Amino acid sequence: MLVTFYLNNTQVSYDVRPDEYLSHTLRSHGIKSVKVGCNESTCGSCTLLVDDKPVMSCSVLTASIEGKHVTTVEGIQEEAAKIAYHFAEEGADQCGFCNAGYALVVYALKREIKNPTEEQIIDYIVGNLCRCSGLQSQLNAIKAYLKEE
Amino acid sequence: MKVNEYYRASSLEDAYQKLLASPKNAIIAGGLWMKKMGQSYETLIDLSNLGLDKIEDKKDEVVVGALATQRDFENSKVVSFLYAGAPAFAVREVMGVNFRNIATIGGSIMGRYPFSDVITGLLPYDVKLEFYPAQKMSLEEYLNYKGRLNAILVAVHIKKIEGKGYFKKVKTTALDFPIVNIAVAKVAGEYRVVVGARPMVAAKAYKAMEYLNNGAKDFTKAAELAVEELSFMDNKDASKEYRVDLAKVYVRRGLEEVSK
Ligand SMILES: Cc1cc2nc3c(=O)[nH]c(=O)nc-3n(C[C@H](O)[C@H](O)[C@H](O)COP(=O)(O)OP(=O)(O)OC[C@H]3O[C@@H](n4cnc5c(N)ncnc54)[C@H](O)[C@@H]3O)c2cc1C
Ligand code: FES
Ligand code: FES
């Protein structure tokens, strides 16, 4: 079936199976920044934004996003670079598998909640697991990024 | 999950006819549980063009569209005012934001999951389910309904009554299923006690409620009555005994909290 949506503000139409998940569709069209870790709606590494909201793309059927706006890390390059800088500064960056998902969720957090408390930050990122680090460094990096400007 | 056709319904009647057309057809909401179960379907019926994702503040009730996401629910101002925020808090205990932006309130209720935080969090209150074809039943009636209801959940009606609620999910890590969950409320002066994930779908502890609503004040005794009345079991997450001990403590604490 043909599904038309906006990928980083560019209209695309892909021929997909009715049971195909968005992470698969994007990766098979070369968007390899979308990482699939657990493929079981748990780890959050496949996180991207649909209509500005972070969702696990391994668990969203492509057929369901007709007409919607999908943002991957390629669509937020400038902000992603700032986030990456703070992650590197805090040593939150190890193998990098979780990074794209983190960048998108942190970007969404900044847009959705003004001046979040630590509890709100943790609640927002708890669905993004990192196998390499202890999450404290991520938290420090996110706080530093949110303080910018 | 294997699917042959993805169908966007143009009306509730259209969706219903498609649902009746084959036992291999099903409504899809967030699709998270359906993915986990991995069954094969002939047709998945998508209701997202039908405006069922709204949360409306009516005079004496809050009407939550079946397709409202868990995140819509917890973020809704009107919902956050209900019962000191206890139902919203219960929903916020499910996984992370990137999950709750997908999972729906309707899908969370229709599955009658034995672990559900959403159901436990709503059961103490006066909650009615609105189905298509036209039919209403309380959440409790639906939980006790035998067999599969071949109908479409349209909305969840939560009565606005003066009252205070408490919710506790015991879990091992932030993203885990509950070992047990407890919801306690005092609504219009009346105590309500619910325990879920025993690991069976939430149920009211009627004996404890009757004891308290007849004027008794011993919350420890009420918590004992609750665990005596409800059945608990072992599973890989916890033993029956551990669940009973946890439920006793948190029912008591909940009662203390809502009686303040
Ligand atoms: C990995 C994982 C972890 C989870 N952890 C928790 C947890 O800790 N606590 C908790 O409470 N929940 C948990 N859940 C359950 C989750 O919160 C949702 O309740 C569940 O995914 C169902 O919501 P959904 O929108 O995805 O429904 P779907 O998967 O789309 O649907 C579920 C069922 O309901 C039917 N259905 C959906 N909408 C309607 C409708 N409007 N009318 C008629 N039938 C309908 C579908 O046909 C299907 O049979 C977890 C789920 C997963 C996959
Ligand atoms: S890959 Fe999607 S949540 Fe893990
Ligand atoms: S840096 Fe390796 S998973 Fe996070």
Side-chain angles (χ1 to χ4, degrees):
Chain A
M1 63 187 289
L2 201 66
V3 180
T4 302
F5 58 97
Y6 297 87
L7 177 58
N8 299 320
N9 288 325
T10 303
Q11 191 175 23
V12 292
S13 294
Y14 294 143
D15 190 17
V16 303
R17 295 189 321 269
D19 48 17
E20 187 169 312
Y21 286 97
L22 185 53
S23 53
H24 180 89
T25 306
L26 294 176
R27 285 183 62 82
S28 60
H29 286 88
I31 313 286
K32 298 281 170 112
S33 68
V34 179
K35 302 289 187 230
V36 177
C38 67
N39 199 18
E40 285 191 6
S41 334
T42 304
C43 73
S45 64
C46 62
T47 300
L48 45 67
L49 311 183
V50 172
D51 287 348
D52 292 332
K53 293 180 179 166
V55 296
M56 295 163 160
S57 64
C58 73
S59 303
V60 171
L61 288 173
T62 308
S64 74
I65 64 149
E66 177 75 34
K68 296 194 176 170
H69 283 262
V70 174
T71 309
T72 64
V73 77
E74 289 80 1
I76 60 158
Q77 275 178 1
E78 222 172 274
E79 289 302 303
K82 291 185 200 166
I83 297 167
Y85 168 79
H86 290 290
F87 269 55
E89 283 290 290
E90 292 292 337
D93 212 353
Q94 308 270 319
C95 78
F97 199 79
C98 65
N99 283 15
Y102 257 107
L104 286 156
V105 88
V106 171
Y107 171 77
L109 162 71
K110 188 177 178 183
R111 288 173 41 132
E112 189 180 325
I113 308 177
K114 297 287 165 233
N115 304 315
T117 60
E118 178 160 323
E119 198 188 338
Q120 284 174 311
I121 300 175
I122 292 174
D123 179 53
Y124 214 95
I125 63 167
V126 79
N128 288 70
L129 302 180
C130 175
R131 273 285 159 193
C132 303
S133 78
L135 298 176
Q136 185 59 44
S137 48
Q138 270 87 350
L139 188 58
N140 297 344
I142 292 164
K143 283 182 181 166
Y145 164 68
L146 293 175
K147 269 206 202 108
E148 269 192 24
E149 285 144 32
Chain B
M1 185 166 75
K2 274 209 164 349
V3 183
N4 277 337
E5 184 198 14
Y6 192 91
Y7 184 75
R8 285 175 178 274
S10 57
S11 66
L12 281 167
E13 179 58 23
D14 180 33
Y16 184 59
Q17 288 309 327
K18 200 69 170 176
L19 185 62
L20 293 184
S22 159
K24 300 213 83 182
N25 294 357
I27 304 289
I28 181 163
L32 290 164
W33 196 252
M34 296 174 100
K35 173 170 179 163
K36 190 164 175 69
M37 291 297 102
Q39 287 180 15
S40 297
Y41 298 95
E42 179 52 39
T43 302
L44 288 184
I45 307 158
D46 175 324
L47 308 177
S48 59
N49 286 343
L50 311 185
L52 300 181
D53 58 348
K54 303 196 173 41
I55 300 181
E56 291 173 288
D57 190 9
K58 298 275 175 70
K59 197 164 152 273
D60 53 6
E61 60 177 13
V62 173
V63 183
V64 182
L67 253 64
T69 64
Q70 294 178 349
R71 184 82 180 144
D72 293 335
F73 185 82
E74 71 186 77
N75 276 348
S76 154
K77 272 250 151 35
V78 284
V79 171
S80 70
F81 289 131
L82 287 172
Y83 307 107
F89 176 73
V91 169
R92 199 172 300 129
E93 287 285 288
V94 179
M95 301 294 287
V97 166
N98 45 6
F99 181 99
R100 301 198 299 276
N101 272 328
I102 309 174
T104 64
I105 295 296
S108 299
I109 289 174
M110 285 309 285
R112 294 187 279 197
Y113 312 105
F115 52 79
S116 179
D117 298 307
V118 180
I119 292 173
T120 300
L122 285 174
L123 193 56
Y125 312 102
D126 295 8
V127 175
K128 283 226 154 47
L129 308 181
E130 176 191 341
F131 291 97
Y132 185 92
Q135 182 182 3
K136 263 194 184 177
M137 63 170 90
S138 71
L139 173 58
E140 190 174 20
E141 280 167 333
Y142 176 61
L143 297 181
N144 295 326
Y145 183 87
K146 298 268 176 283
R148 174 169 171 245
L149 186 68
N150 221 9
I152 300 169
L153 179 62
V154 176
V156 180
H157 297 247
I158 310 171
K159 256 251 168 73
K160 288 198 256 178
I161 308 177
E162 191 57 36
K164 190 173 179 189
Y166 164 95
F167 178 83
K168 175 71 188 179
K169 170 180 187 171
V170 183
K171 53 185 171 180
T172 314
T173 72
L175 301 183
D176 269 317
F177 286 103
I179 287 173
V180 70
N181 53 30
I182 292 99
V184 176
K186 196 173 179 189
V187 178
E190 205 181 89
Y191 287 98
R192 315 259 171 100
V193 178
V194 170
V195 185
R198 309 186 315 281
M200 281 164 265
V201 76
K204 286 184 182 156
Y206 276 102
K207 289 193 180 141
M209 282 160 42
E210 196 185 315
Y211 168 76
L212 293 164
N213 294 330
N214 282 330
K217 287 269 175 337
D218 184 344
F219 294 152
T220 306
K221 169 84 180 154
E224 271 162 18
L225 287 172
V227 298
E228 267 167 40
E229 178 179 357
L230 299 172
S231 44
F232 292 79
M233 287 191 321
D234 298 327
N235 73 355
K236 66 172 181 26
D237 297 326
S239 67
K240 169 181 167 172
E241 290 74 17
Y242 186 48
R243 289 196 160 90
V244 167
D245 282 346
L246 289 168
K248 247 195 277 187
V249 171
Y250 288 111
V251 167
R252 176 178 53 72
R253 286 190 195 167
L255 288 167
E256 285 165 0
E257 182 66 32
V258 300
S259 68
K260 276 184 197 159

